[in-house]
């Protein structure tokens, strides 16, 4: 992702291309994000699981909420990419340029991981308000009608959260969100760069869409395995309601311990299939769009 050619791209365009790439990818994978969130909340607290697997979840949602229902929360997903992905990819590419050698040689894997963690933490803080809106909008359909929040768009969600629960509620779950982002970006950005570097060095790949696809799928698998426990803690904290003035969970550790105790250790990877098939293609599409935008800029600008 770092080269002598890429260094001529202005920083503003790096942020723009990062956000645009993430938003374009979200248009394709939003239904999988919805399924992932619903499955992570299914069986919460040891209750009955709503879905046995991803296919049942998709068919149930389609049957009860229609085709439009599988795109519930799209506006929040797009805003999340516009804030979180714009920031993290913009910061990451800027930092990569600064630490790369003058001949364009990229830094080692551990440096890439550190840069990914830094970029992810900053991006997660900026994107938390959109994240909490996305979690609530995608999980709303699993609740009884009288308990649904009924947000009509991400902007309606943000305004109502501020009005009904206070401004700082927009950053509820910021700790696990930032922690998840650190894990995701250390794994995703570093493993993508490293996988791409190894593939190109093998002599069997050229710097084209096929190489980007294979590197992204490898990156997506590594990221899914590493980040799911933190992700389920984040999802449940941001979806929880306050009952009699007390929140359902006191923090990420409380979520993880209660989840393991009532649902088993493997429940921390609940929703693995939709998570990977959401994260894998999203990673693929984001980096493909990003690489193509960079090439178009270098060609025409």
């Amino acid at each position: 992702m770092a080269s002598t050619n890429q260094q001529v791209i202005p920083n503003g365009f790096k942020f723009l291309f990062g956000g645009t790439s993430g938003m374009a990818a979200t248009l394709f994978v939003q239904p999988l994000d919805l399924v992932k969130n619903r499955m992570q909340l299914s069986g919460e607290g040891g209750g009955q699981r709503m879905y046995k697997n991803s296919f049942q979840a998709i068919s149930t949602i389609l049957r009860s909420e229609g085709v439009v229902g599988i795109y519930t929360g799209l506006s929040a997903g797009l805003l999340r990419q516009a804030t979180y992905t714009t920031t993290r990819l913009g910061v990451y590419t800027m930092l990569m340029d600064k630490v790369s050698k003058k001949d364009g040689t990229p830094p080692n894997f551990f440096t890439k991981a550190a840069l990914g963690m830094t970029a992810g933490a900053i991006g997660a803080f900026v994107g938390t308000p959109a994240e909490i809106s996305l979690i609530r909008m995608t999980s709303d359909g699993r609740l009884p009608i009288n308990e649904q929040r009924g947000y009509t768009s991400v902007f309606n969600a943000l305004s109502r959260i501020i009005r009904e629960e206070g401004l700082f509620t927009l950053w509820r779950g910021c700790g696990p969100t930032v922690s998840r982002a650190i894990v995701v970006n250390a794994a995703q950005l570093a493993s993508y760069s490293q996988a791409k570097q190894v593939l190109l060095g093998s002599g069997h790949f050229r710097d084209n869409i096929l190489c980007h696809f294979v590197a992204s799928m490898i990156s997506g698998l590594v990221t899914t395995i590493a980040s799911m426990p933190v992700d389920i803690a984040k999802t449940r904290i941001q979806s929880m309601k306050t009952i009699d003035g007390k929140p359902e969970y006191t923090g990420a550790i409380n979520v993880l311990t209660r989840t393991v105790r009532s649902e088993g250790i493997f429940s921390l990877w609940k929703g693995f299939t939709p998570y990977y098939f959401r994260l894998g293609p999203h990673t693929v599409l984001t980096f493909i769009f990003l690489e193509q935008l960079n090439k178009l800029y270098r060609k025409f600008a």
Side-chain angles (χ1 to χ4, degrees):
M1 289 183 61
S3 66
T4 52
N5 286 334
Q6 192 171 351
Q7 290 175 6
V8 303
I9 299 177
N11 289 334
F13 279 94
K14 292 175 184 175
F15 282 87
L16 175 64
F17 291 167
T20 301
S21 301
M23 292 174 74
T26 293
L27 293 174
F28 293 90
V29 302
Q30 177 65 22
L32 294 170
D33 214 14
L34 181 142
V35 172
K36 184 267 295 183
N37 290 337
R38 295 276 182 95
M39 291 190 69
Q40 287 185 334
L41 293 168
S42 176
E44 188 174 9
Q48 185 177 0
R49 293 180 62 176
M50 294 178 64
Y51 314 113
K52 294 180 180 178
N53 53 55
S54 305
F55 300 105
Q56 187 200 21
I58 293 172
S59 63
T60 301
I61 293 169
L62 283 171
R63 189 168 57 252
S64 61
E65 301 173 49
V67 176
V68 176
I70 64 173
Y71 273 92
T72 298
L74 178 60
S75 61
L78 292 174
L79 182 62
R80 179 179 181 274
Q81 296 302 318
T83 51
Y84 168 65
T85 301
T86 296
T87 303
R88 72 170 181 128
L89 289 182
V91 169
Y92 183 73
T93 51
M94 285 176 57
L95 294 175
M96 280 284 285
D97 284 347
K98 289 185 179 297
V99 302
S100 295
K101 297 178 181 179
K102 291 184 178 180
D103 63 359
T105 303
N108 61 41
F109 178 82
F110 295 104
T111 302
K112 292 174 187 173
L115 298 184
M117 292 165 68
T118 302
I122 296 171
F125 180 81
V126 173
T128 296
E131 180 85 33
I132 194 170
S133 301
L134 174 64
I135 295 299
R136 291 186 174 193
M137 291 178 74
T138 54
S139 64
D140 215 23
R142 62 181 283 273
L143 299 172
I145 294 178
N146 63 319
E147 295 182 18
Q148 292 180 5
R149 294 182 170 99
Y151 299 138
T152 56
S153 69
V154 64
F155 301 107
N156 175 253
L158 294 172
S159 63
R160 281 183 52 190
I161 290 170
I162 293 172
R163 187 171 64 251
E164 297 169 8
E165 304 172 58
L167 177 64
F168 292 110
T169 304
L170 293 178
W171 278 271
R172 175 183 288 171
C174 184
T177 301
V178 170
S179 299
R180 171 192 175 276
I182 289 173
V183 174
V184 165
N185 285 276
Q188 186 185 62
L189 296 177
S191 61
Y192 175 81
S193 296
Q194 192 70 21
K196 182 182 172 185
Q197 185 177 330
V198 170
L199 291 172
L200 291 174
S202 70
H204 300 296
F205 290 86
R206 292 182 297 170
D207 192 358
N208 54 24
I209 289 180
L210 176 61
C211 175
H212 306 159
F213 174 81
V214 175
S216 296
M217 291 304 290
I218 294 171
S219 172
L221 181 60
V222 172
T223 306
T224 299
I225 295 170
S227 66
M228 279 211 73
V230 186
D231 189 70
I232 197 170
K234 173 195 72 67
T235 298
R236 293 193 174 187
I237 286 175
Q238 292 181 326
S239 176
M240 72 179 178
K241 291 186 176 182
T242 300
I243 302 172
D244 296 328
K246 294 183 179 180
E248 294 179 67
Y249 302 106
T250 58
I253 301 299
N254 181 243
V255 175
L256 295 175
T257 54
R258 285 172 58 182
T259 300
V260 171
R261 187 165 60 245
S262 62
E263 303 169 53
I265 186 69
F266 291 108
S267 64
L268 297 181
W269 283 271
K270 183 185 292 182
F272 182 93
T273 302
Y275 190 98
Y276 176 65
F277 283 104
R278 181 264 179 199
L279 185 63
H282 192 275
T283 304
V284 170
L285 292 168
T286 297
F287 282 119
I288 286 176
F289 286 133
L290 182 61
E291 298 270 12
Q292 297 310 306
L293 287 171
N294 286 338
K295 287 184 177 180
L296 288 172
Y297 181 89
R298 289 195 292 266
K299 181 176 180 180
F300 294 106

